[in-house]
Structures are given as structure tokens and as C-alpha cells.
Amino acid sequence: QMQLVESGGGLVQAGASLRLSCAASDRTAIGSNMGWFRQAPGKEREYVAAIAWNGYMTYYVDSVKGRFTISRNNTSNMLYLQMNSLNPEDTALYYCAATRPWVPFATVGAGEYVSWGRGTQVTVSS
């Protein structure tokens, strides 16, 4: 399984923006769908956003549509999550994850992810 390392979290005020990054350890990430999850204290892990291996298709949970943008750079094995208009409900530990290579994006659900990072904390104050 590939190694994933997140960065870019921090403490911000409501209305601010953050950009999370995730570095993948090897080139198999090129063929893998990738996603961002988050988990707030006392809550279940939430599937936030995903992007197909070729970058052509994306998924967002309703609560972040219009505010978050997922993107990837397969040349540098990087995944990103641009988060705008942050609010306190976005406070969580954010994880990036990857599926096995060549899984059709249309079939991908939260349970398809097999490689996980350790997370980066995002805290939004009101």
C-alpha cells in the first residue's frame, strides 16, 4: 500500500480558507482514485470529497459543495483540497485516502479506500 502524508491544516477563523495537500509515496497513485475524509471528535468519519484517477470526475458531500474543491497533480503525485468559507462545523481531522489502481470511479464508495494518511487537523473558530 502506498504511503500518504497530509499537510496544510491549521487554526483559522470562520470565513477563512485553507488548502490541504497530500503527498503519495509512489507512482501507483496515478491510477488510483483519491479522496478526503474527516472525523470530528465524537462523530463518525465522513466522506468529504473524491476525485477520479484521471481527474475528470469528482464527488462532494452536500455540506461542502460550492466551498471545497478537490484536485490532483499526477505528475507530482499530489492531492489537494481547497477549502473556502470555512465554518466551525468543518473542524475535524482530515485524512487523504486512495483506492487500489484502476477501480472505476462510478463504483467507488467510502469502503473502497485501502491506503490512508495519518491526518491533518483543521480547526475553525467562530
Side-chain angles (χ1 to χ4, degrees):
Q1 294 179 352
M2 75 181 76
Q3 292 186 342
L4 302 170
V5 179
E6 303 93 338
S7 61
L11 171 62
V12 297
Q13 291 188 331
S17 298
L18 278 175
R19 188 193 195 204
L20 304 184
S21 299
C22 173
S25 62
D26 59 66
R27 299 289 287 173
T28 59
I30 293 175
S32 300
N33 306 296
M34 299 189 75
W36 288 97
F37 292 75
R38 65 186 180 186
Q39 188 164 20
K43 294 188 177 181
E44 294 186 355
R45 187 173 60 194
E46 182 179 36
Y47 186 25
V48 176
I51 188 166
W53 65 272
N54 57 12
Y56 290 166
M57 291 177 285
T58 58
Y59 158 84
Y60 297 96
V61 70
D62 285 346
S63 60
V64 308
K65 285 180 180 176
R67 299 189 299 122
F68 289 12
T69 302
I70 189 170
S71 62
R72 65 189 295 164
N73 183 327
N74 284 343
T75 301
S76 58
N77 293 347
M78 294 294 295
L79 175 72
Y80 304 100
L81 185 67
Q82 178 66 43
M83 306 186 295
N84 298 329
S85 301
L86 286 162
N87 59 62
E89 289 70 37
D90 296 317
T91 294
L93 188 61
Y94 283 72
Y95 300 89
C96 74
T99 68
R100 291 185 178 87
W102 317 122
V103 175
F105 187 73
T107 68
V108 172
E112 295 293 326
Y113 291 85
V114 296
S115 298
W116 295 85
R118 292 178 176 267
T120 185
Q121 178 67 36
V122 173
T123 304
V124 184
S125 63
S126 57

